[in-house]
């Protein structure tokens, strides 16, 4: 893939790309992955603790306890975003803080905060889905395709 | 006047009679804090938006510079300036407040020296008695426009740079006390095919090298002509590339001090800025705040400021375009001993 990209460039540009690459600071993929795994896992652990609390003390059943759990995680994420903490966590944890539901909440809250100066409707409401919109689009499209496959291969079953 | 292909050698050297550097709180915690004129404790400056905060800093810098020159804004004939926001609004709105005849220019982060070169040219050719060159950038307004929301938790690579919050302004005059502007070299756009907006240093380094070599060729001088050659905002990645490229081109850059404003403004140990600073204000506040003070004190005699800019936009990036780089150089000279002592 990298070679394909380079082919469009002139020889001087190709040479420069190699030079520039040699000056790029090294990033440890392993350390970054471990951090992401650890932090993502931590978020899930906190989520599971909250869920168990709802089951044991809140009187929710196992399936429904997920709903208030997600709501609480979203609330914590939005709170940390507003306090200017989540972006710093994100720099450290990478995908670990981006992949769970808290990352989705952060993407919506951060764009909403940013759009505030442009008004409630065109600023906050329109910008809210600037980053999260693609997740919803592809989620819906994927669900539609899966449903279609099920309909074709599993008729009546 | 025209010297070589792309340089101006000023015979009647315009004077940089006054300048001002205004910064935000984060820059105020950096190593150059003592050299800035105004350090704001709040990056919003009690304004309703980041954009308004940026504009306010620009107006402050312009006002302080004009006041320090001992003139009124009515005596400033032209204001040349630009910034990073779409349609260079910070500058346009600041010009509305300043009511000085205004020329808006855009050279991305090279705007500081682009505007200073043009203002100097006007004054040197008798087109103006006093001209104001000013530029600004704000971390939050720039991030908002060029990258992700400021509070979005994405991970930035180590080659990413931190946009400086601040504004710098300089008053150029026919005569007066202060360092003089000796020459300027206008840069070509150089594009080496870098497409990563989180690696601006690498995208701009070839342009810096092109302008520096052009400057030496046009003026027939070498690096040792200057005490210091400073690039605008190449930061760690771009600066080390530029150093290697200059070496490859046979420019003996080691004969002088070769630094970068983006590497001088922040403390890498304490501040999370990845590769270093960037933005229009980066080279502006370091030059107008820090370097000018050193020139005035006589600690530096001759310097070459090479402000670097990346002429891309988020739309161009999404359409798969590469990042064109540009750099403009301005040579500043300290007053001679006689000039300084004569005035004291």
């Amino acid at each position: 893939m990298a070679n394909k990209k380079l082919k469009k460039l002139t020889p001087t540009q190709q040479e420069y790309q190699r030079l520039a690459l040699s000056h790029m600071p090294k990033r440890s993929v392993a350390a970054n992955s471990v951090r992401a795994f650890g932090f993502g896992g931590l978020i899930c652990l906190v989520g599971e603790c909250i869920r168990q609390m709802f089951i044991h003390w809140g009187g929710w059943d196992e399936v429904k306890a997920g709903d208030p759990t997600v709501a609480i995680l979203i609330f914590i994420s939005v709170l940390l975003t507003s306090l200017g903490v989540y972006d710093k966590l994100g720099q450290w944890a990478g995908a670990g803080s981006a992949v769970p539901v808290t990352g989705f909440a952060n993407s919506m809250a951060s764009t909403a905060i940013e759009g505030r100066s442009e008004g409630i409707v065109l600023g906050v409401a329109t910008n809210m889905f600037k980053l999260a919109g693609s997740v919803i689009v592809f989620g819906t499209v994927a669900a539609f395709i899966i449903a279609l496959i099920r309909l074709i291969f599993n008729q009546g079953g | 006047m025209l010297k070589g292909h792309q340089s101006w050698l000023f015979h009647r050297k315009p004077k940089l009679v006054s300048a001002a550097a205004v910064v935000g709180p984060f820059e105020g915690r950096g190593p150059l804090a003592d050299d800035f004129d105004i350090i704001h404790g709040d990056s919003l400056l009690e304004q309703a938006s980041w954009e308004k905060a940026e504009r306010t800093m620009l107006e402050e810098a312009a006002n302080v510079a004009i006041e320090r020159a001992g003139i009124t804004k009515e005596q400033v004939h032209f204001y040349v300036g630009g910034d990073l926001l779409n349609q260079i609004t910070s500058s346009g709105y600041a010009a509305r407040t300043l009511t000085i005849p205004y020329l808006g220019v855009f050279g991305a982060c090279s705007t500081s020296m682009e505007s200073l070169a043009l203002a100097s040219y006007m004054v040197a050719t008798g087109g103006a008695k006093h001209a104001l060159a000013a530029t600004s950038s704000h971390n939050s307004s720039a991030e908002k426009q060029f990258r992700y929301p400021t509070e979005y938790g994405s991970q930035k690579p180590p080659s990413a740079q931190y946009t400086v919050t601040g504004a710098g302004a300089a008053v150029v005059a026919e005569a007066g006390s202060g360092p003089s502007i000796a020459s300027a070299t206008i840069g070509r756009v150089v594009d080496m095919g870098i497409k990563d907006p989180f690696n601006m240093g690498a995208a701009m380094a070839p342009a810096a090298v092109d302008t520096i070599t052009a400057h030496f060729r046009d003026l027939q001088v070498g690096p040792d002509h200057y005490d210091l050659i400073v690039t605008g905002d190449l930061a760690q990645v771009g600066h080390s590339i530029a150093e290697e490229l200059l070496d490859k081109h046979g420019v003996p850059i080691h004969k002088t001090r070769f630094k970068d404003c983006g590497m001088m403004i922040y403390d890498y140990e304490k501040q999370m800025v990845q590769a270093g600073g960037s933005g229009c204000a980066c080279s502006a506040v370091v030059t107008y705040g820090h370097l000018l003070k050193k020139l005035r004190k006589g600690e530096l005699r001759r310097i070459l400021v090479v402000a670097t800019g990346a002429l891309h936009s988020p739309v161009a990036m999404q359409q798969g375009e590469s990042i064109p780089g540009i750099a403009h150089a301005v040579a500043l000279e300290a007053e001679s001993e006689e000039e300084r002592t004569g005035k004291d």
Side-chain angles (χ1 to χ4, degrees), chain B residues 169-249:
Chain B
V171 174
V172 182
E174 276 183 326
S177 74
S180 50
I181 296 137
S183 61
T185 299
I186 305 300
R188 297 189 295 177
V189 174
V190 181
D191 189 335
M192 280 296 166
I194 298 282
K195 289 188 171 181
D196 180 7
F198 286 108
N199 193 8
M200 307 279 273
M204 301 186 293
V209 171
D210 190 70
T211 302
I212 292 171
T213 45
H215 181 81
F216 292 152
R217 181 201 64 212
D218 285 355
L219 293 160
Q220 291 166 351
V221 293
D224 49 348
H225 183 69
Y226 297 102
D227 303 330
L228 172 72
I229 295 177
V230 66
T231 47
D233 55 352
L234 294 182
Q236 282 173 331
V237 178
H239 197 257
S240 66
I241 294 175
E243 217 163 6
E244 189 177 330
L245 280 180
L246 284 165
D247 208 44
K248 272 192 176 170
H249 284 77

Side-chain angles (χ1 to χ4, degrees), chain A residues 9 12-13 15-17 19-20 22-27 32 35 80-88 90-95 97-98 103 106-107 110-111 113-115 117-118 130-131, chain B residues 48-51 140 143-145 147-159 191-196 198-199 201-206 236-237 240-241 244-245 248 272 274 322:
Chain A
L9 302 169
T12 326
Q13 283 179 322
E15 199 189 326
Y16 180 70
Q17 299 272 327
L19 172 82
S22 71
H23 282 267
M24 278 295 276
K26 298 282 172 289
R27 267 207 290 185
N32 211 10
R35 275 208 301 266
L80 291 178
T81 304
S82 329
L83 294 174
V85 178
Y86 206 90
D87 58 325
K88 294 184 178 66
Q91 179 63 33
W92 186 83
S97 62
N106 164 254
S107 76
S110 61
T111 43
I113 293 168
E114 195 120 296
S117 65
E118 288 151 51
K130 202 163 85 179
L131 296 169
Chain B
S49 66
W50 308 118
E51 290 78 6
S140 301
E143 289 293 318
K144 177 178 175 179
Q145 181 176 308
R147 295 175 196 102
Y148 292 120
T150 45
E151 299 304 331
Y152 181 55
S154 68
Q155 195 176 41
K156 291 193 181 99
S159 60
D191 189 335
M192 280 296 166
I194 298 282
K195 289 188 171 181
D196 180 7
F198 286 108
N199 193 8
M204 301 186 293
Q236 282 173 331
V237 178
S240 66
I241 294 175
E244 189 177 330
L245 280 180
K248 272 192 176 170
M272 202 167 74
Q274 284 84 37
S322 52

